[in-house]
C-alpha cells in the first residue's frame, strides 16, 4: 500500500516528505527529483523567496546504492532560510518577544479558520503549515511516483491552461506538453506562445496593482492502461481519489475531469466519447472519437489519456 | 470513526447501506429517511422505473426503540422489481440462457472500462453496480447523517443550479432553499420559477431527440461552526474529503467549492472574502462581506455557509 | 483492497456480513458457506440456542450466476428467533414496558464497560452487539476468504488445543487436522481422541457447577508462500494484522504465533528454526528443522505453515 | 486522527519518527523525550553499539516555542555511526565492492523471508530495516503520546516480568513500577530485586554460550477512564489495536491482556473480576475484586489498570 504524508513548516528547519510502500529495486534518479523541485520554483511573478531556496532532495532512508529497497522513504528538504528564523520560530520555548506575529488574518487563506480551530491568538502557526511551500514535499513524492509510473510506461505532466481571463484556446497534444516540460527556461508553462504572452500580461496587471490572479492547470497522464480504480465502492473510484488529491493543494477550489464543466451545459450526445474498435489500437483495441471523459468512466480508467484540471 | 459503504446491484434483491460509528442515543425518524428516498426519486424526465420503486428504508440493525445504540447500522432497500430479475441475475448458477447480456457498452458510463478491468465478456455486471440506483443507499446514509448534524444545529440541503444551458441567474438564499426542499411536489428542485421553467425546456428538448442533458447542483450546509477539517495533513482537509465524496457520485465530472471556477478567472481582490468583526455575530464574531470561499479556507471551515457544486 | 465489517444484534432481525474488494470470477460454493456456519454452531456444552439457529448464508449482492462479480458482497444471516424478540427489541419506539433489561452486568463481558461508554442505564444493547453470535458474520466472511485462498493453494483450518487444564500433548500434523475438519459429527474439534475425552470432562465439570471454562485453539494455514506481509512499516506486518484479527474475537485474551509463549522462557538457540536448502523443496528450496516461528519471521511469511493460537 | 509511522535504516543517516494529528498547545518536554530514548538503550547484556549511540530527539517540525502547533511532528534520530557506513550503504550508487553483504540469513529474523519477498540476493537491506533500532523511532512517538496522556491523567509505564526461566513471582503494584521507572541506573528493569538477580543469571548464562534468551515485559496504563475502544466493530476494539501495536515490535511473538494465558486453563469463575459499587470509587463508582481482564472487557476499557504483556 502506497501512502504519503508531509511534515514541516514554511520557515522551519526542513520539510519532510514521507513515502511508504514503494516496491524495491526502482532506480532513483536524484537529478530528476531536483529538476522537479526546480520546476516547482519557476513561474512568472513569484516572490523573491523562490530565488533563495533552490530545493534539493536530501534522501534519508529507503534508497540504497541508487535504488529503492522497499522500506519507507523519507526525504529532507532543508530550508535555506532557517538560520534567519531560529529566533522567531524556535522549537524550544525561546524568547517570546522575538515571535513574528501575524495579527491580520488574510481572507482566502487558512489564517482565520485555522486560528479559530486551534485556538491560536494570531495566525503565524497556521500560515507556517498551510503554506504553498508544503507542496515542495509533495513534488518530491510525486517525482518518486513518476519514476515508478515510468517503469510501467506511464508519463505524467502538467501545463497551464488559463491565467485570469487569458485562456488557452486550442487543445494541446501530448507531444506539445512533453516538449514544453523539457524547457530549460520556464515562463508560465503554457504550450501556446501567444496564450502565454496574454497570461503574462494578466500577471503583470495584477502585480502592478498589488493584486493576485487565479488560473487553471491541467495534469495529463499518458499511457494509462484501462481498469485502474473501481466503481465497486465509492472510496475506491479513481475520480474520487484524484479529486481529493488535487483539491487538497493550497489554493485549489475546483477540480474537473476531462470536459466536466462544459459537459454540464451540454447534451449527452455532445459529451460522450463514442466507442470504436481497431484490433491493433492501444491496450485493448477499443478506440474513441474524442476524450471528454478525461480518461475515466465510472471511476475507472478507460485507456485514454487522463486529464484533470 | 464514522465509516460508510454500500452494497447491492441495480436489479438484485436489495441494496444495503452500511454505516458504522454513529453515536448512541440519536432519535431515528423513519419518515424522514423515507422522505429523503422519495426526494431522490423525483425529478422531471426520469424513466418509468422511478415509479415502480418507491424505496423504503428497512433498518436491520443499530437502531432499537427508535434510537441508535452505537452499533453499526445496516439498512436494506429492497428492489420491488427483483421478482422479475431472478432468472436473469440469480445468485446461484441458474440458467445461463436467461442472462440479459449488454453487448453494446455505453460511452460515458463504466461499461467498457469496467468490463476490461474485471475481464467480463459483456457489461451487464458492470452497469448493475455502476448504476445511479446505488445512490439510494447513499441517500439513506446521508439522511442518518443529517439527523446527527441537526442535533448539532447544522442543516444540509441541495438545489439545482443549472440544466443544460439554463442556469440560475441570481444567488439563492438559505431560506429560499429551505422552503424549496419542503415542497410536496418537485419538478427540478430549482428555487427560481422562471429558471426552473427554462430547465424544463432543456429536458424536454433532450427527451424529444432521445438525448440526455447535463446539469449542476449545489449542496449547502447551514450552521457549520468554524474549525472542521485541517490543513495539517493533505488527506484531512475538508475540501479534499468533500471533493472525493461528491466526485464519487455517478455522472459527476467536476466539483467546485464556493465560486471556485469563476475565481480562476478573477483577480484575488475580487475573490477573497474580506474579514470583519462584530462581537455578536455567528460563532466567533468574525464576519465576511461575501462567501466566495464557500465556507472553507485552507481546508478548514470558516463559519460561513458551506457551498459545494 | 479487501475490507470486511459486520452489523447486527444477537436478537435482532439479522446479522449482515459485508465484504468489499473480492476479485471477480471466484466460484461461490453455497454449501461450503453453510457448512462453515454449521461448524461454528457445533461444540460440546453449548446452550440450547445453537439448536434453534442453523444459520444459512443468504447472499444479497456481489455474487451472480454462482460467481463473484467484483462488487461488494453482502450476506444476510437471519435470526430464526427474531419473531420472539420484536416486542422486546423493536427498531421503532415500541412499548418500553416490554424491554428486556439486563440489570446485572456480567464481569468478563463488555456489559459494564459498554454501558458506561454509551451511557446506557442497563446492558441490554451492549450484550446484543458484543455477543458471540456476531462471529457468525465473520465465519461467513472467512468462508468466502477461504474460497479465494483455495484458488491460490492455501488452506486454512483450526483445531482445539486445550480446554481448561486438558491440553493436547503432541504436535498435530496438517493431515490430522484436515481429517478432523471433515468430520460429520463434532465434539470438541480436537485431533487427539484421548485429549478430547479429557477436554469433555473439563466441560462436564464446569457445567455441573454452573461455571464456564477457558481454552486454546490453533489456526493453521497450509500452503502459504513466503513474502506475505512486510517489516517495512509497523502496521503492514502480518503478525500484527493477525494479532488484531484474532484478539478482536469475543473472549480472546491472548494471541501467540508459533511457539511464542514458551519461546519467552527459552534460549534463542532452542527457538530459532535452522535454515537449510534443498533445491526441490517447497516454494523457494529453503528448509527448516522445525517451525517455532509459526511461519512468520519479522512480520513476513517464511514459507512454513502459519500457526496462530 | 492520530497516525504514526517510522522511516530509516539501522546504519543509515537517521531514523525519522512521524506523528500526525497531535492537538495543538501540548508542552513538549525535550528532556523527557531524551530520557525515554536513554531508557531504551539500557539493559543488561546488550552489545557495544548501545554505548555509541546515545540518541537525541531532533525535532524538525510540529513543535514551536516549546509546544505542539497541531501540525505533523517529524523527529530526526541521527545515527552517530553513519560516517562509518557511508561507503557500505550509500544512498547513491556508490562503489558496489564496498557493500557489506549478509550472506547467511539468521533464523528467527526477517532475513530470509524478507530477501525472498523483495528478491534481494542477500539480507543486508532486510536487516537494516527489520532492526531493533527502529524501535527508537517508536519510543520517540510513544514519549510524545505519553505527554498527551499525562495531561489526561493517564501514565504508561513498563517493567520486565520474566527473562528465560527467571520470572517475577509476585504481583507488582503501580507505585513499585513508578518507582522502578525513576531509577537513574537500570539493570533489567524488574521491580523485584531477587527476581532481577535471577534474570541477570539467565542473561549471563546465555552470553557465556553465545546464545540469547527470551523474556516477557508488561506495559501498564494507570488512570485510564472506562469507555475507550468499542465492541461495535472488530477493528475498533482496543484489545485488537493493542495486540497489533505490541505484536508489531521486533521479536514479540505473543500478546496477552491481563491474565489471558493462565485464564485459558481456568474456570470462568476464577477469572472474571467481580463487580461492586462504592459511590466514591474511581471514575464511575464501580469496583472490582481483581483485574484478570487487564482493564479491558469486550474491547472496551473498564476503568481498571490496563495491563498488556
Amino acid at each position: 500500500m502506497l501512502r504519503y504524508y508531509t511534515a514541516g513548516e514554511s520557515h522551519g528547519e526542513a520539510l519532510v516528505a514521507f513515502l511508504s510502500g514503494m516496491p524495491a529495486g526502482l532506480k532513483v534518479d536524484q537529478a530528476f527529483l531536483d529538476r522537479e523541485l526546480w520546476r516547482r520554483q519557476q513561474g512568472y511573478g513569484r516572490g523573491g523567496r523562490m530565488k533563495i531556496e533552490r530545493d534539493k532532495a536530501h534522501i534519508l532512508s529507503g534508497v540504497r546504492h541508487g535504488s529503492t529497497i522497499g522500506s519507507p522513504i523519507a526525504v529532507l528538504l532543508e530550508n535555506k532560510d532557517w538560520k534567519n528564523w531560529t529566533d522567531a520560530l524556535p522549537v524550544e520555548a525561546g524568547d517570546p518577544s522575538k515571535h513574528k506575529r501575524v495579527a491580520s488574518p488574510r481572507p482566502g487563506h487558512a489564517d482565520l479558520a485555522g486560528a479559530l480551530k486551534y485556538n491560536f491568538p494570531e495566525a503565524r502557526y497556521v500560515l507556517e503549515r498551510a503554506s504553498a511551500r508544503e507542496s515542495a514535499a509533495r513534488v518530491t513524492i510525486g517525482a518518486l511516483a513518476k519514476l515508478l509510473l515510468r517503469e510501467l510506461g506511464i508519463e505524467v505532466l502538467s501545463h497551464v491552461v488559463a491565467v485570469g481571463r487569458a485562456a488557452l484556446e486550442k487543445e494541446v497534444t501530448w507531444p506539445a506538453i512533453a516538449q514544453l516540460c523539457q524547457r530549460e527556461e520556464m515562463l508560465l508553462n503554457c504550450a501556446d506562445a501567444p496564450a502565454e504572452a496574454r497570461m503574462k500580461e494578466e500577471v503583470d496587471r495584477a502585480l502592478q496593482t498589488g493584486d493576485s490572479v487565479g488560473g487553471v492547470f491541467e495534469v495529463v497522464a499518458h499511457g494509462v492502461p484501462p481498469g485502474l480504480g473501481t466503481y465497486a465502492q465509492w472510496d475506491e473510484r479513481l475520480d474520487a481519489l484524484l479529486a481529493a488529491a488535487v483539491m487538497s493543494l493550497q489554493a485549489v477550489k475546483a477540480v474537473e475531469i476531462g470536459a466536466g464543466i462544459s459537459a454540464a451545459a451540454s447534451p449527452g450526445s455532445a459529451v460522450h466519447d463514442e466507442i470504436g474498435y481497431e484490433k491493433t489500437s492501444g491496450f485493448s483495441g477499443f478506440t474513441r472519437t474524442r476524450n471528454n471523459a478525461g480518461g475515466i468512466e465510472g471511476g475507472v480508467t478507460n485507456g485514454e489519456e487522463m486529464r484533470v484540471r
Side-chain angles (χ1 to χ4, degrees), chain A residues 43-70:
Chain A
Y44 182 71
R46 307 203 115 188
R49 191 171 175 207
M50 285 297 172
K51 279 153 211 154
I52 308 174
E53 288 173 316
R54 197 62 174 94
D55 287 315
K56 202 176 141 20
H58 176 163
I59 297 172
L60 289 174
S61 71
V63 180
R64 297 288 156 198
H65 298 103
S67 295
T68 58
I69 61 169

PDB file of all heavy atoms in Angstrom, chain A residues 43-70:
ATOM      1  N   GLY A  43       8.185  30.041 -12.607  1.00  0.00           N
ATOM      2  CA  GLY A  43       6.891  30.709 -12.734  1.00  0.00           C
ATOM      3  C   GLY A  43       7.111  32.203 -12.719  1.00  0.00           C
ATOM      4  O   GLY A  43       8.031  32.708 -12.066  1.00  0.00           O
ATOM      5  N   TYR A  44       6.242  32.882 -13.402  1.00  0.00           N
ATOM      6  CA  TYR A  44       6.420  34.306 -13.588  1.00  0.00           C
ATOM      7  C   TYR A  44       5.681  35.072 -12.483  1.00  0.00           C
ATOM      8  O   TYR A  44       4.536  34.764 -12.162  1.00  0.00           O
ATOM      9  CB  TYR A  44       5.858  34.690 -14.954  1.00  0.00           C
ATOM     10  CG  TYR A  44       6.036  36.135 -15.289  1.00  0.00           C
ATOM     11  CD1 TYR A  44       7.307  36.628 -15.578  1.00  0.00           C
ATOM     12  CD2 TYR A  44       4.964  37.002 -15.287  1.00  0.00           C
ATOM     13  CE1 TYR A  44       7.481  37.968 -15.875  1.00  0.00           C
ATOM     14  CE2 TYR A  44       5.123  38.336 -15.578  1.00  0.00           C
ATOM     15  CZ  TYR A  44       6.401  38.823 -15.867  1.00  0.00           C
ATOM     16  OH  TYR A  44       6.580  40.150 -16.149  1.00  0.00           O
ATOM     17  N   GLY A  45       6.351  36.040 -11.898  1.00  0.00           N
ATOM     18  CA  GLY A  45       5.677  36.903 -10.944  1.00  0.00           C
ATOM     19  C   GLY A  45       5.787  36.456  -9.501  1.00  0.00           C
ATOM     20  O   GLY A  45       5.162  37.020  -8.617  1.00  0.00           O
ATOM     21  N   ARG A  46       6.604  35.444  -9.255  1.00  0.00           N
ATOM     22  CA  ARG A  46       6.710  34.939  -7.901  1.00  0.00           C
ATOM     23  C   ARG A  46       7.640  35.804  -7.060  1.00  0.00           C
ATOM     24  O   ARG A  46       8.482  36.517  -7.586  1.00  0.00           O
ATOM     25  CB  ARG A  46       7.271  33.526  -7.926  1.00  0.00           C
ATOM     26  CG  ARG A  46       6.462  32.640  -8.847  1.00  0.00           C
ATOM     27  CD  ARG A  46       6.641  31.219  -8.466  1.00  0.00           C
ATOM     28  NE  ARG A  46       5.390  30.674  -8.007  1.00  0.00           N
ATOM     29  CZ  ARG A  46       5.270  29.468  -7.465  1.00  0.00           C
ATOM     30  NH1 ARG A  46       6.346  28.733  -7.271  1.00  0.00           N
ATOM     31  NH2 ARG A  46       4.104  29.021  -7.075  1.00  0.00           N
ATOM     32  N   GLY A  47       7.503  35.662  -5.773  1.00  0.00           N
ATOM     33  CA  GLY A  47       8.259  36.485  -4.836  1.00  0.00           C
ATOM     34  C   GLY A  47       9.732  36.134  -4.808  1.00  0.00           C
ATOM     35  O   GLY A  47      10.198  35.186  -5.446  1.00  0.00           O
ATOM     36  N   GLY A  48      10.466  36.925  -4.095  1.00  0.00           N
ATOM     37  CA  GLY A  48      11.913  36.764  -4.026  1.00  0.00           C
ATOM     38  C   GLY A  48      12.341  35.461  -3.390  1.00  0.00           C
ATOM     39  O   GLY A  48      13.430  34.960  -3.654  1.00  0.00           O
ATOM     40  N   ARG A  49      11.460  34.889  -2.571  1.00  0.00           N
ATOM     41  CA  ARG A  49      11.882  33.728  -1.816  1.00  0.00           C
ATOM     42  C   ARG A  49      12.294  32.573  -2.710  1.00  0.00           C
ATOM     43  O   ARG A  49      13.181  31.784  -2.370  1.00  0.00           O
ATOM     44  CB  ARG A  49      10.742  33.271  -0.910  1.00  0.00           C
ATOM     45  CG  ARG A  49      11.260  32.239   0.062  1.00  0.00           C
ATOM     46  CD  ARG A  49      10.316  31.850   1.132  1.00  0.00           C
ATOM     47  NE  ARG A  49      10.939  30.781   1.883  1.00  0.00           N
ATOM     48  CZ  ARG A  49      10.286  29.861   2.530  1.00  0.00           C
ATOM     49  NH1 ARG A  49       8.988  29.891   2.581  1.00  0.00           N
ATOM     50  NH2 ARG A  49      10.943  28.912   3.176  1.00  0.00           N
ATOM     51  N   MET A  50      11.610  32.454  -3.853  1.00  0.00           N
ATOM     52  CA  MET A  50      11.920  31.366  -4.761  1.00  0.00           C
ATOM     53  C   MET A  50      13.392  31.356  -5.148  1.00  0.00           C
ATOM     54  O   MET A  50      13.966  30.323  -5.429  1.00  0.00           O
ATOM     55  CB  MET A  50      11.049  31.472  -6.018  1.00  0.00           C
ATOM     56  CG  MET A  50       9.618  31.047  -5.773  1.00  0.00           C
ATOM     57  SD  MET A  50       9.521  29.302  -5.299  1.00  0.00           S
ATOM     58  CE  MET A  50       7.779  29.181  -4.864  1.00  0.00           C
ATOM     59  N   LYS A  51      13.979  32.562  -5.162  1.00  0.00           N
ATOM     60  CA  LYS A  51      15.394  32.623  -5.544  1.00  0.00           C
ATOM     61  C   LYS A  51      16.304  32.118  -4.425  1.00  0.00           C
ATOM     62  O   LYS A  51      17.390  31.606  -4.678  1.00  0.00           O
ATOM     63  CB  LYS A  51      15.761  34.058  -5.930  1.00  0.00           C
ATOM     64  CG  LYS A  51      15.350  34.381  -7.367  1.00  0.00           C
ATOM     65  CD  LYS A  51      15.081  35.867  -7.566  1.00  0.00           C
ATOM     66  CE  LYS A  51      14.026  36.071  -8.634  1.00  0.00           C
ATOM     67  NZ  LYS A  51      13.298  37.335  -8.470  1.00  0.00           N
ATOM     68  N   ILE A  52      15.890  32.312  -3.216  1.00  0.00           N
ATOM     69  CA  ILE A  52      16.717  31.860  -2.091  1.00  0.00           C
ATOM     70  C   ILE A  52      16.817  30.350  -2.062  1.00  0.00           C
ATOM     71  O   ILE A  52      17.863  29.771  -1.817  1.00  0.00           O
ATOM     72  CB  ILE A  52      16.098  32.276  -0.727  1.00  0.00           C
ATOM     73  CG1 ILE A  52      15.774  33.763  -0.686  1.00  0.00           C
ATOM     74  CG2 ILE A  52      17.032  31.885   0.429  1.00  0.00           C
ATOM     75  CD1 ILE A  52      15.025  34.174   0.580  1.00  0.00           C
ATOM     76  N   GLU A  53      15.671  29.698  -2.342  1.00  0.00           N
ATOM     77  CA  GLU A  53      15.565  28.328  -1.881  1.00  0.00           C
ATOM     78  C   GLU A  53      16.301  27.267  -2.697  1.00  0.00           C
ATOM     79  O   GLU A  53      17.008  26.459  -2.161  1.00  0.00           O
ATOM     80  CB  GLU A  53      14.089  27.961  -1.749  1.00  0.00           C
ATOM     81  CG  GLU A  53      13.474  28.677  -0.549  1.00  0.00           C
ATOM     82  CD  GLU A  53      11.992  28.455  -0.511  1.00  0.00           C
ATOM     83  OE1 GLU A  53      11.345  28.547  -1.573  1.00  0.00           O
ATOM     84  OE2 GLU A  53      11.493  28.163   0.577  1.00  0.00           O
ATOM     85  N   ARG A  54      16.074  27.207  -3.965  1.00  0.00           N
ATOM     86  CA  ARG A  54      16.701  26.150  -4.792  1.00  0.00           C
ATOM     87  C   ARG A  54      16.739  24.823  -4.043  1.00  0.00           C
ATOM     88  O   ARG A  54      17.810  24.364  -3.585  1.00  0.00           O
ATOM     89  CB  ARG A  54      18.125  26.600  -5.164  1.00  0.00           C
ATOM     90  CG  ARG A  54      18.735  25.819  -6.314  1.00  0.00           C
ATOM     91  CD  ARG A  54      17.912  26.019  -7.580  1.00  0.00           C
ATOM     92  NE  ARG A  54      18.533  25.394  -8.733  1.00  0.00           N
ATOM     93  CZ  ARG A  54      18.234  24.160  -9.162  1.00  0.00           C
ATOM     94  NH1 ARG A  54      17.344  23.440  -8.524  1.00  0.00           N
ATOM     95  NH2 ARG A  54      18.815  23.678 -10.251  1.00  0.00           N
ATOM     96  N   ASP A  55      15.573  24.207  -3.904  1.00  0.00           N
ATOM     97  CA  ASP A  55      15.462  22.985  -3.092  1.00  0.00           C
ATOM     98  C   ASP A  55      16.278  21.824  -3.651  1.00  0.00           C
ATOM     99  O   ASP A  55      16.424  21.676  -4.855  1.00  0.00           O
ATOM    100  CB  ASP A  55      13.995  22.550  -3.023  1.00  0.00           C
ATOM    101  CG  ASP A  55      13.187  23.454  -2.127  1.00  0.00           C
ATOM    102  OD1 ASP A  55      13.672  23.764  -1.030  1.00  0.00           O
ATOM    103  OD2 ASP A  55      12.071  23.840  -2.525  1.00  0.00           O
ATOM    104  N   LYS A  56      16.734  21.011  -2.739  1.00  0.00           N
ATOM    105  CA  LYS A  56      17.455  19.794  -3.097  1.00  0.00           C
ATOM    106  C   LYS A  56      16.907  18.655  -2.238  1.00  0.00           C
ATOM    107  O   LYS A  56      16.744  18.820  -1.024  1.00  0.00           O
ATOM    108  CB  LYS A  56      18.955  19.996  -2.844  1.00  0.00           C
ATOM    109  CG  LYS A  56      19.823  19.047  -3.653  1.00  0.00           C
ATOM    110  CD  LYS A  56      21.295  19.300  -3.474  1.00  0.00           C
ATOM    111  CE  LYS A  56      22.086  17.978  -3.416  1.00  0.00           C
ATOM    112  NZ  LYS A  56      21.488  16.779  -3.963  1.00  0.00           N
ATOM    113  N   ALA A  57      16.626  17.536  -2.891  1.00  0.00           N
ATOM    114  CA  ALA A  57      16.055  16.395  -2.164  1.00  0.00           C
ATOM    115  C   ALA A  57      17.163  15.648  -1.438  1.00  0.00           C
ATOM    116  O   ALA A  57      18.031  15.053  -2.065  1.00  0.00           O
ATOM    117  CB  ALA A  57      15.341  15.462  -3.136  1.00  0.00           C
ATOM    118  N   HIS A  58      17.135  15.700  -0.132  1.00  0.00           N
ATOM    119  CA  HIS A  58      18.125  15.009   0.694  1.00  0.00           C
ATOM    120  C   HIS A  58      17.473  13.716   1.202  1.00  0.00           C
ATOM    121  O   HIS A  58      16.698  13.735   2.161  1.00  0.00           O
ATOM    122  CB  HIS A  58      18.514  15.958   1.834  1.00  0.00           C
ATOM    123  CG  HIS A  58      19.454  15.363   2.832  1.00  0.00           C
ATOM    124  ND1 HIS A  58      20.184  16.120   3.706  1.00  0.00           N
ATOM    125  CD2 HIS A  58      19.803  14.084   3.107  1.00  0.00           C
ATOM    126  CE1 HIS A  58      20.913  15.347   4.478  1.00  0.00           C
ATOM    127  NE2 HIS A  58      20.704  14.111   4.136  1.00  0.00           N
ATOM    128  N   ILE A  59      17.805  12.618   0.545  1.00  0.00           N
ATOM    129  CA  ILE A  59      17.158  11.334   0.875  1.00  0.00           C
ATOM    130  C   ILE A  59      17.796  10.752   2.129  1.00  0.00           C
ATOM    131  O   ILE A  59      19.009  10.559   2.194  1.00  0.00           O
ATOM    132  CB  ILE A  59      17.296  10.352  -0.305  1.00  0.00           C
ATOM    133  CG1 ILE A  59      16.572  10.915  -1.533  1.00  0.00           C
ATOM    134  CG2 ILE A  59      16.742   8.980   0.070  1.00  0.00           C
ATOM    135  CD1 ILE A  59      16.808  10.128  -2.810  1.00  0.00           C
ATOM    136  N   LEU A  60      16.944  10.481   3.121  1.00  0.00           N
ATOM    137  CA  LEU A  60      17.446   9.942   4.391  1.00  0.00           C
ATOM    138  C   LEU A  60      17.352   8.424   4.454  1.00  0.00           C
ATOM    139  O   LEU A  60      18.161   7.777   5.105  1.00  0.00           O
ATOM    140  CB  LEU A  60      16.644  10.512   5.565  1.00  0.00           C
ATOM    141  CG  LEU A  60      16.855  11.963   5.918  1.00  0.00           C
ATOM    142  CD1 LEU A  60      15.851  12.366   7.002  1.00  0.00           C
ATOM    143  CD2 LEU A  60      18.272  12.199   6.410  1.00  0.00           C
ATOM    144  N   SER A  61      16.334   7.874   3.819  1.00  0.00           N
ATOM    145  CA  SER A  61      16.098   6.438   4.014  1.00  0.00           C
ATOM    146  C   SER A  61      15.347   5.846   2.841  1.00  0.00           C
ATOM    147  O   SER A  61      14.775   6.557   2.024  1.00  0.00           O
ATOM    148  CB  SER A  61      15.277   6.213   5.280  1.00  0.00           C
ATOM    149  OG  SER A  61      13.947   6.651   5.077  1.00  0.00           O
ATOM    150  N   GLY A  62      15.357   4.525   2.749  1.00  0.00           N
ATOM    151  CA  GLY A  62      14.557   3.814   1.758  1.00  0.00           C
ATOM    152  C   GLY A  62      15.220   3.686   0.401  1.00  0.00           C
ATOM    153  O   GLY A  62      14.695   2.999  -0.472  1.00  0.00           O
ATOM    154  N   VAL A  63      16.358   4.350   0.224  1.00  0.00           N
ATOM    155  CA  VAL A  63      17.105   4.253  -1.034  1.00  0.00           C
ATOM    156  C   VAL A  63      18.551   3.911  -0.689  1.00  0.00           C
ATOM    157  O   VAL A  63      19.164   4.598   0.138  1.00  0.00           O
ATOM    158  CB  VAL A  63      17.060   5.583  -1.825  1.00  0.00           C
ATOM    159  CG1 VAL A  63      17.840   5.473  -3.133  1.00  0.00           C
ATOM    160  CG2 VAL A  63      15.617   5.993  -2.092  1.00  0.00           C
ATOM    161  N   ARG A  64      19.080   2.854  -1.280  1.00  0.00           N
ATOM    162  CA  ARG A  64      20.476   2.457  -1.051  1.00  0.00           C
ATOM    163  C   ARG A  64      21.072   2.025  -2.380  1.00  0.00           C
ATOM    164  O   ARG A  64      20.398   1.359  -3.180  1.00  0.00           O
ATOM    165  CB  ARG A  64      20.549   1.300  -0.038  1.00  0.00           C
ATOM    166  CG  ARG A  64      20.027   1.643   1.352  1.00  0.00           C
ATOM    167  CD  ARG A  64      20.955   2.573   2.110  1.00  0.00           C
ATOM    168  NE  ARG A  64      20.215   3.322   3.140  1.00  0.00           N
ATOM    169  CZ  ARG A  64      20.665   4.434   3.715  1.00  0.00           C
ATOM    170  NH1 ARG A  64      21.834   4.953   3.359  1.00  0.00           N
ATOM    171  NH2 ARG A  64      19.965   5.063   4.616  1.00  0.00           N
ATOM    172  N   HIS A  65      22.321   2.371  -2.591  1.00  0.00           N
ATOM    173  CA  HIS A  65      23.008   2.055  -3.849  1.00  0.00           C
ATOM    174  C   HIS A  65      22.197   2.503  -5.057  1.00  0.00           C
ATOM    175  O   HIS A  65      22.145   1.832  -6.086  1.00  0.00           O
ATOM    176  CB  HIS A  65      23.332   0.554  -3.932  1.00  0.00           C
ATOM    177  CG  HIS A  65      24.257   0.101  -2.835  1.00  0.00           C
ATOM    178  ND1 HIS A  65      23.800  -0.598  -1.734  1.00  0.00           N
ATOM    179  CD2 HIS A  65      25.587   0.280  -2.635  1.00  0.00           C
ATOM    180  CE1 HIS A  65      24.819  -0.852  -0.918  1.00  0.00           C
ATOM    181  NE2 HIS A  65      25.926  -0.325  -1.446  1.00  0.00           N
ATOM    182  N   GLY A  66      21.498   3.628  -4.893  1.00  0.00           N
ATOM    183  CA  GLY A  66      20.799   4.229  -6.023  1.00  0.00           C
ATOM    184  C   GLY A  66      19.427   3.662  -6.334  1.00  0.00           C
ATOM    185  O   GLY A  66      18.783   4.099  -7.281  1.00  0.00           O
ATOM    186  N   SER A  67      18.953   2.697  -5.522  1.00  0.00           N
ATOM    187  CA  SER A  67      17.648   2.093  -5.788  1.00  0.00           C
ATOM    188  C   SER A  67      16.832   1.994  -4.502  1.00  0.00           C
ATOM    189  O   SER A  67      17.385   1.941  -3.399  1.00  0.00           O
ATOM    190  CB  SER A  67      17.820   0.680  -6.362  1.00  0.00           C
ATOM    191  OG  SER A  67      18.436   0.724  -7.619  1.00  0.00           O
ATOM    192  N   THR A  68      15.523   1.931  -4.677  1.00  0.00           N
ATOM    193  CA  THR A  68      14.659   1.723  -3.517  1.00  0.00           C
ATOM    194  C   THR A  68      14.889   0.327  -2.953  1.00  0.00           C
ATOM    195  O   THR A  68      15.254  -0.601  -3.681  1.00  0.00           O
ATOM    196  CB  THR A  68      13.180   1.843  -3.917  1.00  0.00           C
ATOM    197  OG1 THR A  68      12.904   0.892  -4.941  1.00  0.00           O
ATOM    198  CG2 THR A  68      12.861   3.234  -4.420  1.00  0.00           C
ATOM    199  N   ILE A  69      14.643   0.191  -1.641  1.00  0.00           N
ATOM    200  CA  ILE A  69      14.821  -1.129  -1.015  1.00  0.00           C
ATOM    201  C   ILE A  69      13.530  -1.619  -0.349  1.00  0.00           C
ATOM    202  O   ILE A  69      13.566  -2.529   0.477  1.00  0.00           O
ATOM    203  CB  ILE A  69      15.988  -1.113   0.001  1.00  0.00           C
ATOM    204  CG1 ILE A  69      15.713  -0.099   1.121  1.00  0.00           C
ATOM    205  CG2 ILE A  69      17.308  -0.808  -0.692  1.00  0.00           C
ATOM    206  CD1 ILE A  69      16.700  -0.229   2.298  1.00  0.00           C
ATOM    207  N   GLY A  70      12.397  -1.027  -0.689  1.00  0.00           N
ATOM    208  CA  GLY A  70      11.119  -1.491  -0.149  1.00  0.00           C
ATOM    209  C   GLY A  70      10.766  -0.862   1.187  1.00  0.00           C
ATOM    210  O   GLY A  70       9.630  -0.950   1.630  1.00  0.00           O
TER     211      GLY A  70
END
